Amino acid sequence: MVVNKRFSLGSLVVLMCICLGSQGLMAQEKQVSEEPETKEEKIHKATEKAMEYFRAKEYSFAIDALKEAFGKEKGRKKKAEIAFMLGESYRHVSLYKQAQAQYKRAVKLDYGADAHYWYAEMMASQGEYEDALAEYEELKRSNPGDVRAEWGIQMCRTATDWIENPSRYIVTNRKDLNSRERDMTPIYAERSRSHNQKGLSYSHHDRPQYDGMLYLVSSREGGTGKAEDGWTGQGYMDLWMTKSERKDKKKGRSRRRGKQQKEVEEVNYSTPVPLSEIINSKDHEGTMCFDSRFKDLYFTRCENKRYHTLGCAIYVTRQRGQTWDEPEVVVLSDDSSHSVGHPSLSPDDKILYFAGDIENSVEGSKDLWMTTYDRRKKEWKEPTNLGPLVNTAESELFPFVHDDGYLYFASDGHMGMGGLDIFRVALDENGMPKGEVENMRYPINTPADDFGIVLEPGGAHRGYITSNRPKEGMGSDDIYGIYEVPMLFEITGTVTDTKDGQPIPQVTIRLNGSDGSSIIENSDGFGDFVFSSDNLKENTTYTLSFEKKQYLNAQAAASTVGVPFDSFEFLKEENVFLHRMTLNKGMDHIEVPIVLPNVLFDLAKWDLRPESMVALDTVVAILNDNPNIVIELRSHTDYRDTDEKNRTLSQNRADTCVRYLISKGIASDRLVAVGKGEAEPFTVTDAYRGFGAGTFKAGSVLTERFIKSRSSEEQEIGNQINRRTDFKVLRDDYVPNQPVAEEGGSSAKGGDEAKQEERPLGEFHTVADKRESFGKVAKMYGINVRQLKELNGGLRGVRPFEGLELKITVNGDYDEYDASHYRVQSERSFGEIAKKLGLDKKKLKKMNPDLKDKDLKPGLIIFIK
């Protein structure tokens, strides 16, 4: 006997009560019920009664009857058949543990490969992949040609890997939507409170919410149909409605500095009530969809009579105020015996997708189809099969078309975790699938049946699925909320002096992104800085520029491109994944010579070696980053040879270095070459990390006398350190040579252009009311918020308050003002400010007689001269 269905249709409600017909399972049942009987083997009356229930698909009744029949039958073969039927019955009502026990019994009674296969499947359906893998491998050994064994082996390995490496989604049982019976496939039933019809592109925080009203499918008590479904032992499925009941808004401060959590609205739903009896009938009503106007409701209806498969159909009705039009069948096939259901309209309402077993479907399976509406004939055109990219020899169900350009669907024919899994595939301009089918992976998918996804507009970030996963739900099929946790980034670091390692406060740090973004922050009193997740985006490269007077400008880089998922930390309180990048930066003081450790020369020669050119290229970068400095490039020797020869050699080497820098585009008047010979032996500092670091104590001066007192090995190290090239900043006010002024006072540029380059006198705005936002102030003066913050030092941690002074002239001349004023940052006292600025505390307080320490707050302007 061959069983052609591989997935565990434990929620056959997925095919019948969710209203898509059940004839797809006839193959197994025929194999059981039509097995030829031997003349010697008589069937007990209890067995006949049990098989009658089984053939009628009344599995909830069949279970007890089959248990009784098993005790009545004596023959091993008949007991094996009954055990297998018991396994099938338990499987169809989602009782996988009991089904596993019956399949195991059938295996012991030599039922055959089918029992062995389903025994392994039930293990996999409960997540027991290790045990299931062993059974699939045993099935492969005993039945080498059984492709189901190979499939099961691959499934177990794939599913185990997905569980160990889950996706970013959080899946939560929505108990407010679920009952003790089956609850499933909700849809959004009204337009968003902030619907954007022209384009949908939202962040996780500002995406419009579509959770005001939901329609769902349920077999809970209170439905229209009063009869009991013999398959499930529950009532018939109806369509229900529920409305949101919002809790108070909550907000809190994040553990990340400077980051305020967005307001979060917790949403619960009212007790669902059934839709109108115009829609709900004594039969099954199931999976549905609305058109884009939320007027026309398409839903599935499936008639159910014992021993008869009447097929399912899609109906449409229109909402008119508080009532509905009489539902009309949507004709999609000339053969009324074919089953169709699970409608889903494209966002523009032009294409209807659905599942069905109409022409050209594989026998016993369900395919996905699409059709377009003929407005002239006022009917749907002949359906088109979505083809082998999506459809398999098994079943594809529950299509859902989203505005992200993907078709989402459930299938048991593509590689998954067992049972129905949720997949997606991109659609082309004609609405047909393209590319590759993608499994949504764990935890959206599990070993159980997972199906019926619906998503809010704006990406696959938030929505609902249906699942019969064990131990979590209230019924065998429950509704689950899904949420894709945002992946955020943060850059933190400390700026320090390269000479002594001390932090440098008030360094201006500009963050420029490859996406064109630009943000400015300042290091605090401890040299620390933070660029929070508000300023950083995924798949972007960033350049950080560090600037402070008396220091050389510095550069650093960071990237959010291709960051592996395991590099993120999950912050439970904020419900985000955060990747923290630490970027500490040292800055060189212009008064301290900077050693170039790899500018090396052959003995007694001054030709540049390749590695020396690489080192000098860093000097080129420094000079380009600091266009206002003039440097003295100095070459040193050790004490060996005569003073005169050492000076000559070092001067030649310095000249060679300068010529190389000039060849790289550096102006010659910014470079002074000096051969120092042995005149300045190196002084070891705590911060020294170059060649021979750690050999000599900090403070050691590598004089001839000192070196000769060391071991031969240390002598060579000391001489090598002395044979160095460094540079020293001579001044930081360099201005490129200007064209000679012509007679009459005009430069070569012309008087009008020169005047345009003069900076306008900077103007100010004083905040009159703390309710004035920075955005409002910026708009008043025709600038943007970013420009306003840049003009005022970033305004980090500053909130508008009455009397707050703000610069508002872009490129304005504020030099005189800046020399006599200081904007308070995070300091709490005049003592802190005086220490930071190198001022006398008493004089500072005397210049601000009306202010006390308690009056200081971020953004306040004080006098410093």
Side-chain angles (χ1 to χ4, degrees):
M1 297 189 295
V2 178
V3 179
N4 73 337
K5 300 291 292 179
R6 71 158 277 281
F7 79 142
S8 79
L9 270 180
S11 84
L12 192 63
V13 117
V14 169
L15 289 183
M16 194 270 290
C17 291
I18 300 186
C19 312
L20 198 52
S22 55
Q23 58 265 50
L25 294 176
M26 293 295 290
Q28 293 128 289
E29 290 141 16
K30 286 181 179 179
Q31 290 158 6
V32 173
S33 60
E34 295 179 3
E35 190 73 22
E37 301 171 19
T38 62
K39 291 183 179 179
E40 295 80 10
E41 202 169 16
K42 293 184 178 180
I43 299 177
H44 195 279
K45 289 183 179 180
T47 304
E48 291 180 348
K49 180 181 179 181
M51 293 184 69
E52 184 178 348
Y53 284 129
F54 186 82
R55 285 193 295 269
K57 303 178 188 63
E58 295 179 337
Y59 298 113
S60 62
F61 302 147
I63 288 172
D64 289 335
L66 287 168
K67 286 180 182 179
E68 181 183 355
F70 187 87
K72 300 292 185 181
E73 294 291 350
K74 304 299 181 183
R76 183 180 182 87
K77 181 178 179 180
K78 187 54 65 178
K79 280 184 173 290
E81 288 183 7
I82 294 173
F84 186 78
M85 284 190 286
L86 262 172
E88 293 286 272
S89 299
Y90 278 122
R91 179 168 63 88
H92 291 330
V93 295
S94 306
L95 297 175
Y96 300 139
K97 186 174 182 179
Q98 292 87 333
Q100 177 183 329
Q102 295 303 321
Y103 289 129
K104 181 178 181 180
R105 176 186 279 179
V107 170
K108 290 182 177 180
L109 292 170
D110 300 322
Y111 184 81
D114 292 338
H116 205 149
Y117 167 71
W118 283 110
Y119 177 45
E121 280 285 283
M122 291 302 97
M123 291 180 178
S125 295
Q126 298 172 83
E128 299 169 2
Y129 290 116
E130 186 175 345
D131 293 337
L133 179 61
E135 291 301 323
Y136 285 124
E137 289 174 340
E138 176 59 31
L139 178 61
K140 180 180 178 181
R141 283 191 291 270
S142 59
N143 295 269
D146 197 329
V147 295
R148 299 174 301 179
E150 284 289 354
W151 183 276
I153 290 170
Q154 184 181 353
M155 176 194 68
C156 289
R157 291 171 178 167
T158 300
T160 300
D161 177 65
W162 287 345
I163 291 174
E164 292 174 354
N165 300 281
S167 70
R168 293 159 48 189
Y169 287 95
I170 291 177
V171 181
T172 308
N173 185 283
R174 291 306 306 259
K175 295 183 179 180
D176 51 334
L177 298 176
N178 295 317
S179 66
R180 295 183 179 180
E181 286 73 38
R182 284 181 160 89
D183 305 280
M184 61 197 69
T185 56
I187 63 169
Y188 298 104
E190 66 179 10
R191 198 183 303 277
S192 162
R193 289 169 286 137
S194 54
H195 185 61
N196 175 7
Q197 295 182 355
K198 294 184 179 180
L200 292 163
S201 179
Y202 308 103
S203 72
H204 276 77
H205 296 304
D206 63 10
R207 182 174 298 105
Q209 301 293 302
Y210 274 69
D211 48 17
M213 183 186 299
L214 296 178
Y215 285 2
L216 56 93
V217 180
S218 179
S219 64
R220 66 182 66 203
E221 293 181 2
T224 302
K226 305 303 180 183
E228 182 178 308
D229 186 336
W231 185 314
T232 64
Q234 297 183 8
Y236 281 69
M237 309 297 287
D238 278 336
L239 307 186
W240 300 68
M241 181 271 289
T242 177
K243 292 184 178 181
S244 61
E245 297 176 333
R246 300 185 180 277
K247 293 184 177 180
D248 293 336
K249 294 181 179 180
K250 293 183 177 182
K251 61 181 179 180
R253 180 162 295 279
S254 163
R255 290 180 292 174
R256 286 178 284 142
R257 181 176 42 179
K259 171 72 176 175
Q260 184 73 26
Q261 273 185 268
K262 304 289 183 180
E263 290 187 343
V264 178
E265 292 181 313
E266 295 185 2
V267 180
N268 279 344
Y269 285 91
S270 62
T271 302
V273 296
L275 292 185
S276 168
E277 291 190 4
I278 297 174
I279 296 175
N280 289 325
S281 68
K282 59 183 179 61
D283 295 308
H284 289 290
E285 279 74 39
T287 303
M288 59 195 142
C289 74
F290 263 115
D291 66 356
S292 60
R293 299 175 301 162
F294 293 91
K295 291 294 185 183
D296 292 339
L297 178 69
Y298 293 76
F299 65 95
T300 313
R301 177 177 288 167
C302 186
E303 295 184 51
N304 183 44
K305 291 186 179 180
R306 198 177 193 192
Y307 304 117
H308 295 281
T309 303
L310 301 178
C312 304
I314 296 173
Y315 288 76
V316 62
T317 179
R318 172 163 291 189
Q319 188 172 20
R320 298 187 185 277
Q322 300 299 313
T323 187
W324 298 85
D325 288 349
E326 188 67 30
E328 296 180 357
V329 66
V330 177
V331 179
L332 298 170
S333 173
D334 293 335
D335 188 344
S336 61
S337 67
H338 289 147
S339 276
V340 296
H342 302 175
S344 178
L345 282 166
S346 60
D348 60 7
D349 298 333
K350 292 181 179 180
I351 302 176
L352 175 66
Y353 294 86
F354 62 94
D357 64 351
I358 57 180
E359 295 85 354
N360 302 320
S361 295
V362 176
E363 183 180 357
S365 73
K366 302 292 184 289
D367 280 354
L368 296 185
W369 303 75
M370 63 166 285
T371 179
T372 56
Y373 192 71
D374 189 328
R375 295 190 179 278
R376 185 174 61 83
K377 295 182 179 180
K378 295 185 178 181
E379 63 182 24
W380 292 95
K381 297 179 183 178
E382 182 178 350
T384 300
N385 190 286
L386 292 192
L389 180 60
V390 168
N391 292 319
T392 67
E394 308 305 333
S395 288
E396 280 65 50
L397 306 162
F398 302 99
F400 171 72
V401 195
H402 194 33
D403 64 9
D404 62 0
Y406 282 88
L407 170 70
Y408 295 78
F409 63 96
S411 172
D412 65 298
H414 294 278
M415 180 53 62
M417 301 184 67
L420 286 171
D421 272 13
I422 298 172
F423 299 83
R424 73 174 187 173
V425 66
L427 297 175
D428 64 20
E429 62 276 9
N430 298 315
M432 290 293 288
K434 65 177 181 178
E436 296 182 359
V437 170
E438 175 187 353
N439 189 295
M440 294 297 287
R441 304 181 59 168
Y442 184 82
I444 284 183
N445 291 320
T446 66
D449 293 322
D450 307 287
F451 54 94
I453 190 170
V454 61
L455 298 166
E456 288 183 0
H461 303 299
R462 191 192 304 268
Y464 298 94
I465 63 170
T466 303
S467 178
N468 64 357
R469 56 192 69 188
K471 299 181 181 178
E472 298 182 28
M474 299 172 65
S476 54
D477 290 306
D478 272 0
I479 296 168
Y480 289 78
I482 62 172
Y483 174 69
E484 185 183 38
V485 178
M487 297 177 74
L488 305 182
F489 301 86
E490 181 179 85
I491 298 175
T492 62
T494 304
V495 189
T496 57
D497 191 307
T498 55
K499 179 183 178 180
D500 56 19
Q502 292 300 306
I504 307 176
Q506 295 304 306
V507 176
T508 300
I509 308 162
R510 183 186 296 273
L511 179 80
N512 294 317
S514 59
D515 60 347
S517 60
S518 183
I519 303 294
I520 292 179
E521 291 284 357
N522 292 318
S523 62
D524 62 17
F526 301 97
D528 296 331
F529 66 92
V530 175
F531 287 97
S532 68
S533 59
D534 285 344
N535 302 322
L536 302 174
K537 297 179 181 179
E538 194 173 2
N539 296 320
T540 306
T541 55
Y542 292 96
T543 299
L544 290 88
S545 302
F546 299 80
E547 298 179 12
K548 185 176 175 66
K549 290 182 178 180
Q550 297 297 303
Y551 284 88
L552 292 178
N553 296 342
Q555 300 278 342
S559 175
T560 60
V561 178
V563 179
F565 185 64
D566 57 9
S567 298
F568 288 81
E569 175 190 3
F570 179 60
L571 304 182
K572 187 175 181 180
E573 292 180 5
E574 300 177 43
N575 205 21
V576 298
F577 285 107
L578 180 66
H579 175 62
R580 290 188 173 95
M581 293 172 276
T582 301
L583 202 162
N584 297 323
K585 189 63 181 177
M587 295 185 71
D588 299 309
H589 200 285
I590 62 175
E591 295 180 356
V592 179
I594 299 168
V595 177
L596 305 174
N598 291 319
V599 178
L600 306 174
F601 298 89
D602 292 331
L603 182 64
K605 294 185 177 181
W606 51 88
D607 299 322
L608 284 178
R609 291 162 57 172
E611 60 267 36
S612 301
M613 296 179 187
V614 174
L616 287 172
D617 285 340
T618 64
V619 181
V620 174
I622 291 172
L623 289 166
N624 286 332
D625 290 340
N626 298 266
N628 59 326
I629 66 172
V630 175
I631 68 168
E632 180 180 81
L633 196 142
R634 317 181 316 164
S635 181
H636 304 261
T637 66
D638 58 34
Y639 61 84
R640 293 176 288 194
D641 217 331
T642 65
D643 289 349
E644 183 178 352
K645 287 185 177 180
N646 281 337
R647 280 195 297 271
T648 300
L649 178 62
S650 62
Q651 186 63 50
N652 287 336
R653 288 175 173 175
D655 289 338
T656 299
C657 292
V658 166
R659 284 194 294 273
Y660 178 82
L661 297 178
I662 293 172
S663 74
K664 292 293 184 176
I666 303 301
S668 60
D669 58 348
R670 298 181 64 194
L671 305 169
V672 178
V674 177
K676 303 294 289 187
E678 59 183 278
E680 287 189 11
F682 186 73
T683 301
V684 180
T685 65
D686 287 325
Y688 179 66
R689 297 293 182 269
F691 176 80
T695 304
F696 308 109
K697 292 181 180 179
S700 299
V701 182
L702 305 186
T703 62
E704 179 179 356
R705 180 178 181 182
F706 176 83
I707 291 175
K708 286 182 175 180
S709 69
R710 317 299 292 186
S711 67
S712 58
E713 181 180 356
E714 290 184 351
Q715 285 185 40
E716 186 54 42
I717 292 173
N719 284 325
Q720 178 66 58
I721 293 174
N722 270 335
R723 293 195 301 272
R724 69 195 185 277
T725 299
D726 60 25
F727 72 86
K728 183 178 181 179
V729 176
L730 296 179
R731 61 182 226 267
D732 62 355
D733 59 353
Y734 174 79
V735 177
N737 288 331
Q738 300 294 324
V740 178
E742 297 179 350
E743 197 171 332
S746 296
S747 70
K749 283 187 175 183
D752 291 340
E753 188 174 348
K755 288 179 181 179
Q756 290 176 0
E757 292 183 354
E758 295 180 3
R759 295 164 62 197
L761 186 63
E763 297 182 357
F764 297 86
H765 171 82
T766 302
V767 174
D769 191 322
K770 66 179 181 180
R771 288 175 293 183
E772 282 187 24
S773 67
F774 291 138
K776 185 176 180 179
V777 173
K779 188 175 181 181
M780 289 169 61
Y781 297 97
I783 60 177
N784 58 45
V785 175
R786 179 176 64 81
Q787 290 173 316
L788 182 69
K789 288 188 175 182
E790 287 181 1
L791 280 170
N792 293 276
L795 296 176
R796 184 167 175 267
V798 178
R799 296 184 180 278
F801 58 84
E802 187 176 344
L804 173 65
E805 289 184 11
L806 296 171
K807 302 175 185 177
I808 45 86
T809 306
V810 177
N811 297 322
D813 183 358
Y814 292 100
D815 292 345
E816 185 177 346
Y817 177 85
D818 290 341
S820 59
H821 295 75
Y822 174 74
R823 189 181 298 279
V824 177
Q825 305 293 319
S826 58
E827 302 88 354
R828 299 294 183 89
S829 68
F830 280 103
E832 287 184 45
I833 298 173
K835 184 178 180 181
K836 177 186 290 187
L837 302 180
L839 301 174
D840 181 84
K841 176 182 175 182
K842 291 183 179 179
K843 291 182 178 179
L844 186 63
K845 295 186 75 172
K846 190 174 181 180
M847 284 185 280
N848 298 273
D850 297 329
L851 295 176
K852 297 181 179 180
D853 287 349
K854 66 178 181 178
D855 299 319
L856 299 179
K857 57 183 173 181
L860 182 69
I861 297 294
I862 64 171
F863 291 101
I864 58 174
K865 277 190 180 180

